Amino acid sequence: MKLMLMADLHLGKKVNEFSMLEDQAYLLDQVIGLIDEHRPDGLIIAGDVYDKSSPSAEAVRLLDVFIRRIKQRDICLFMIAGNHDSADRLSFGASIFSDSDIYIAEAFRRPIEPIEWQAGGVMAHIYLLPFIKPIQVRAVWPESDVSGYDEALKYVLGQIELAPNRFNLLVAHQFISGAKTFDSDDILIGGIDQVSAAHFESFDYTVLGHLHGPQTVGSEHIRYPGSPLKYSFSEAAHQKSIPLIEIDPDHRIETTLLGLKPLRDMRIIRGPFQLITDPKHYRAADQHDYVQITLTDELEVADAIARLRAIYPNLMKLSYDNKRTQGSDGYRVAEAIHHRSPLELFEDFYQSQNNHQPMSDEQKDYVEALLREMEEDR
Amino acid sequence: MKLMLMADLHLGKKVNEFSMLEDQAYLLDQVIGLIDEHRPDGLIIAGDVYDKSSPSAEAVRLLDVFIRRIKQRDICLFMIAGNHDSADRLSFGASIFSDSDIYIAEAFRRPIEPIEWQAGGVMAHIYLLPFIKPIQVRAVWPESDVSGYDEALKYVLGQIELAPNRFNLLVAHQFISGAKTFDSDDILIGGIDQVSAAHFESFDYTVLGHLHGPQTVGSEHIRYPGSPLKYSFSEAAHQKSIPLIEIDPDHRIETTLLGLKPLRDMRIIRGPFQLITDPKHYRAADQHDYVQITLTDELEVADAIARLRAIYPNLMKLSYDNKRTQGSDGYRVAEAIHHRSPLELFEDFYQSQNNHQPMSDEQKDYVEALLREMEEDR
């Protein structure tokens, strides 16, 4: 059984006001090429298919054409909704699609039943779990009284009785604690959305969506394929790929990472204006890439954006790194906030409003409980 | 061949801030009941399936469940997008659905090809034409240079070569001139969106969406089934129905109107407060209907809305008809605008801004051409 793994397509996404549609169409063409070359039995897309719960007509058309081409190739498609998707909208027609070997997870309203599927001498049970929040788990099992994402996931997966002689494969869209994150990942401040890798260990394989950096977590059998395109400059150094896994009848797994080449790369360029605008320098790489330029000149360069755009038409961000900008600590403050819990941030706010008087333990407990409740029910 | 005809479902619509979802679910249940009773070979939905181009998740779920139930009954579904729908969103997965006898018109990007379909000894060619604007026709046939809706429709339908031995059935979503309209119909001021019934006459049958009042136009074979629910008080007197047409092998057509009963009716109540709030009066009908109440009392009734809502929980509109309101001509002014052309309205505006000086003929011609262009390209 050969499976290609994908996640976090974010069809219709804009990055710094640039539409990614053309890049995404180019990428999906490439995926079709890889399918024709490697002839997998199935393709898995682990959520965040679209970038918005109400995707644009162009994004819908892009996916429609892609699914049509998948179907023409007679391979199975397994797809779930991520936190960016509306599970109800994405699963429209799912029961009719399934007649055509296209399986889209329904919105989470009942225990997860496996899809029994066989290919290459392997009998598999495929479990499709769309992105879930604790409140949805409590709606299905009111008696469970789960609190937080970790308990919720544990409960849902605990309801599954795995078949011992099947290859049990789970497709999910959650944030496993300990995984590497980047700017474009949607993670909740304070880490309340993190779940332990331990809950996934009883499955033979888990394909995850949510984090854009390709990685395995805890074990080689729990994998984020990552987004197929770079969606922030923090991902500039990534090599995006599609994992191809081959499972033999003894359930041994072999993994190959099929490299992806974007229409336009995303790059960080740093240096003095004169060097960056020197043809010897810029002609070495593709001028149509999406670039973030950091100028190290001490003096502001007149009309820099227009002059740089003449060379790099897809310039997305321009900043200076010099004595003046180093003197301001705006950047560092923003960084610091990112790594602090909501409770710590609230404490700061409380103190600044109350003559630096710290919160009492009772006050802290109250706020903590409140924050927890808010995050869970989002 | 037995066909049930519907149009203008407007799933997800709100009327005067009241969600119609529950009423629509009840109605679709009733349609399933009628299908089980009359066992048609197919169901046609002639556009405005949803009320918005980006429908709510609830509306999508409602249609998903309905289509699933249609499919379980092994009948064909033919559906097109109306002006309220996004053709791209509605036709997502259309090529895959068609394997399951569910035909959804693709967004209009090429000449219309028929679906060959056979049932009850009748060979039919079904043409699915989603709502189109002149600009879309010019995009497909740049040489056509059509101007206006009437020319556009004529051109598109003129490209179709009808098969002489087939039952040629067209499903479309346009406004035929001469048809009866009501408040909830979306018609363009000045009637620029109207097309002649003559263009449809070469088809054996035309099922239309767009106008909510059930009617035939020009001939018995050009029919608006009408919306299955009342969506404005101007439709209060309608009897909504689903036409069932039976076509025999000689292409003779027999029509039966299957009556629909809404969960809550839409009614207009008029009279003095004391009579309307008298149990003997209001117990004669369903208090849960959507009602518009016009009080004829000369004196304002204290706290009227709250007191009337205690009896009619779904009171949608309250107004007075007495000496005071008859004196103001606000209502009549609004009415008058509705029946005037954009050019007339612009002339008024021009005069009020230019010391009552009328526009010259040249000015009129210029504005008229401009308005025409704007409306066509909307």
Side-chain angles (χ1 to χ4, degrees), chain B residues 11 29 36 125 128 142 160-161 169 179-180 205 219 240 268 284 292 297 323 366 373:
Chain B
L11 300 182
D29 263 358
D36 288 339
H125 276 191
L128 300 182
I160 294 175
E161 264 192 58
L169 188 148
K180 287 189 293 288
Y205 205 92
S219 108
K240 300 296 191 182
I268 296 172
Q292 166 184 305
D297 305 78
K323 282 202 187 98
Y366 182 79
E373 214 174 289

Side-chain angles (χ1 to χ4, degrees), chain B residues 160-192:
Chain B
I160 294 175
E161 264 192 58
L162 293 177
N165 303 317
R166 299 285 181 276
F167 188 80
N168 292 292
L169 188 148
L170 173 69
V171 184
H173 191 94
Q174 306 289 343
F175 180 7
I176 295 194
S177 42
K180 287 189 293 288
T181 62
F182 297 91
D183 278 0
S184 58
D185 293 324
D186 294 290
I187 51 187
L188 297 184
I189 293 175
I192 196 140

Side-chain angles (χ1 to χ4, degrees), chain A residues 54-55 61 64 88-89 93, chain B residues 54-55 61 64 88-89 93 109:
Chain A
S54 182
R61 200 185 310 155
D64 184 53
D88 275 311
R89 289 208 182 88
Chain B
S54 181
R61 200 186 309 155
D64 184 54
D88 276 311
R89 289 207 183 89
R109 290 196 193 91

